[in-house]
Amino acid sequence: MTEEGQNQPLKQIRLEDEDDENRISKLPDCLLVEILSRLPQTIYAVRTGALSKRWKHVWTWVQTLVFRHPYYFVRSRDGSSPDFFSFVDKTLTQRPQLKLNKFTLCSRYNYMLESHINNWIRYAVNCNVEELDLWVWGLERIIEIPRDQFFFICSSFTRLKSSGCALIPTGAISWKNLRSLHISYGRYLDEVLIENILSGSPVLETLVLDYCDGYRRLNITSKTVKNLVFCRYLVSSQDYPESEDFLDVIEINAPNISSLTIQDHLYSVSKLLLLNVSSLVKARLDYKLLDEYEEDEEEMFKGFILSLRHVKDIQIGPCFDVKLLFFW
């Protein structure tokens, strides 16, 4: 094959790529915005602004913003990444405060940067965000974010996920349209706060508590909450420095739920009691206690049999101790 023949396919591919780019650029703005909204991270949407004048401002109309703290941002000695924080600040400054369907923030935390994170959350709330996914991690045991009451009276929330934050409202909670709440790594989530959340969320349907502590009784009497997920309960020895007994007895009173999931490691639970789950239709058991508390687990499972005898659909997960099935 001649040199000219070898180069011909490459030229053809380049022309096809250019044609594809032109076809995409000729799409109406609404479709381009939808495409950019489906990208895994907002940084990719922002980069399309460098393609041409046609693309320069298209990304500013996206209704889904996803900011994930990546490894390639340069970190300072305190573990923060100035490049990441400046990127988010600049992005939100360039984008108008238009309606947001979803806002996802996965960020490293440092107390010096607390105001930045609070401002980002405030931006999302001011844009009437429907789905908020907030994941903040750091060395601090209690990360009081968000700190402003505006977060706790946001009527636009329909789905809320909070991880690594201590929810400490200074007033009443009013999440009028919230249907799904997922709290993970939530410290000091006591019974009073749970009651306030339920009373302030009149249409809540799903409640997920993952790696939360501070409560001993889940009193879910709301008539709208139908799905309850309880998993990974672990009390740190830092909470009880003078005691060697970190085990808790957890009681669940949820007469109106139809679906209950108990899963993962419950290493700080000596006993889990189902007081009233009379409306339950589906249950999934996929939990594991510490090996040295095997007798407690057997007793707990016997109680489950009595409490779940009316349930039509019971599923056993891989974490569940198979030996307990002999008590069925």
Side-chain angles (χ1 to χ4, degrees):
M1 181 180 294
T2 64
E3 182 178 353
E4 182 178 357
Q6 290 177 340
N7 292 335
Q8 186 62 36
L10 295 178
K11 291 181 181 180
Q12 184 176 359
I13 291 175
R14 291 193 186 109
L15 287 174
E16 289 176 352
D17 289 344
E18 290 175 1
D19 289 342
D20 290 340
E21 181 180 340
N22 290 333
R23 291 193 190 100
I24 294 176
S25 296
K26 291 178 181 178
L27 292 174
D29 288 348
C30 59
L31 290 181
L32 293 181
V33 170
E34 179 65 23
I35 292 172
L36 296 185
S37 296
R38 294 175 180 270
L39 294 177
Q41 294 192 51
T42 298
I43 190 172
Y44 303 135
V46 174
R47 287 173 177 173
T48 63
L51 293 175
S52 65
K53 291 183 179 180
R54 173 74 173 85
W55 288 86
K56 188 175 182 180
H57 300 292
V58 174
W59 71 267
T60 63
W61 297 89
V62 297
Q63 293 184 305
T64 298
L65 296 179
V66 180
F67 300 104
R68 300 187 186 277
H69 198 143
Y71 291 104
Y72 55 74
F73 279 107
V74 178
R75 297 179 185 175
S76 59
R77 291 184 177 181
D78 61 9
S80 62
S81 298
D83 288 351
F84 173 73
F85 284 83
S86 61
F87 167 73
V88 179
D89 282 338
K90 183 178 180 180
T91 300
L92 299 186
T93 300
Q94 293 179 339
R95 182 189 182 274
Q97 286 196 351
L98 302 173
K99 168 69 179 175
L100 273 176
N101 294 331
K102 185 174 183 179
F103 185 91
T104 298
L105 173 63
C106 178
S107 174
R108 184 179 294 272
Y109 172 80
N110 179 278
Y111 73 94
M112 297 175 62
L113 302 168
E114 184 176 288
S115 61
H116 288 264
I117 299 177
N118 273 300
N119 287 336
W120 301 342
I121 299 172
R122 186 180 293 107
Y123 174 91
V125 171
N126 288 337
C127 292
N128 295 318
V129 63
E130 295 183 10
E131 298 184 33
L132 179 63
D133 189 349
L134 182 61
W135 181 16
V136 183
W137 77 94
L139 298 177
E140 289 78 2
R141 290 175 59 247
I142 303 177
I143 301 177
E144 293 187 32
I145 287 181
R147 301 195 67 171
D148 296 330
Q149 183 62 16
F150 71 88
F151 174 85
F152 297 98
I153 57 173
C154 180
S155 60
S156 64
F157 289 156
T158 59
R159 298 175 61 88
L160 175 60
K161 294 181 67 176
S162 171
S163 179
C165 304
L167 301 179
I168 307 178
T170 58
I173 295 176
S174 181
W175 290 329
K176 296 180 179 179
N177 293 297
L178 186 66
R179 297 187 176 276
S180 176
L181 176 61
H182 186 145
I183 304 176
S184 59
Y185 296 93
R187 308 307 306 276
Y188 307 112
L189 188 70
D190 59 21
E191 289 90 344
V192 175
L193 179 55
I194 293 175
E195 182 179 353
N196 290 339
I197 290 175
L198 294 176
S199 62
S201 309
V203 296
L204 186 66
E205 299 172 354
T206 298
L207 177 62
V208 180
L209 300 178
D210 179 14
Y211 242 135
C212 299
D213 61 47
Y215 56 87
R216 303 295 178 269
R217 180 186 176 100
L218 285 177
N219 198 37
I220 313 297
T221 58
S222 168
K223 293 183 179 180
T224 62
V225 177
K226 299 301 181 183
N227 308 304
L228 176 62
V229 179
F230 173 82
C231 56
R232 295 195 297 180
Y233 186 94
L234 178 62
V235 177
S236 170
S237 60
Q238 296 178 356
D239 296 328
Y240 303 96
E242 299 179 356
S243 174
E244 295 182 357
D245 185 11
F246 311 132
L247 297 180
D248 289 329
V249 176
I250 303 298
E251 299 176 337
I252 296 180
N253 179 49
N256 299 310
I257 64 171
S258 57
S259 174
L260 172 65
T261 299
I262 303 174
Q263 65 183 23
D264 223 310
H265 298 97
L266 308 179
Y267 283 165
S268 293
V269 177
S270 62
K271 187 178 296 183
L272 184 61
L273 303 177
L274 301 181
L275 302 183
N276 185 354
V277 288
S278 55
S279 300
L280 204 61
V281 176
K282 181 178 180 180
R284 176 177 171 82
L285 304 179
D286 190 17
Y287 65 87
K288 176 65 176 176
L289 299 183
L290 289 174
D291 293 338
E292 53 262 40
Y293 297 102
E294 185 174 319
E295 293 183 3
D296 294 329
E297 191 169 13
E298 292 176 1
E299 181 182 354
M300 190 171 81
F301 185 67
K302 291 177 181 178
F304 279 2
I305 294 177
L306 295 176
S307 299
L308 302 177
R309 60 184 181 274
H310 64 284
V311 179
K312 297 180 180 180
D313 184 1
I314 299 180
Q315 301 178 8
I316 303 299
C319 286
F320 193 79
D321 191 343
V322 180
K323 297 192 297 295
L324 296 179
L325 294 179
F326 292 103
F327 292 98
W328 196 272

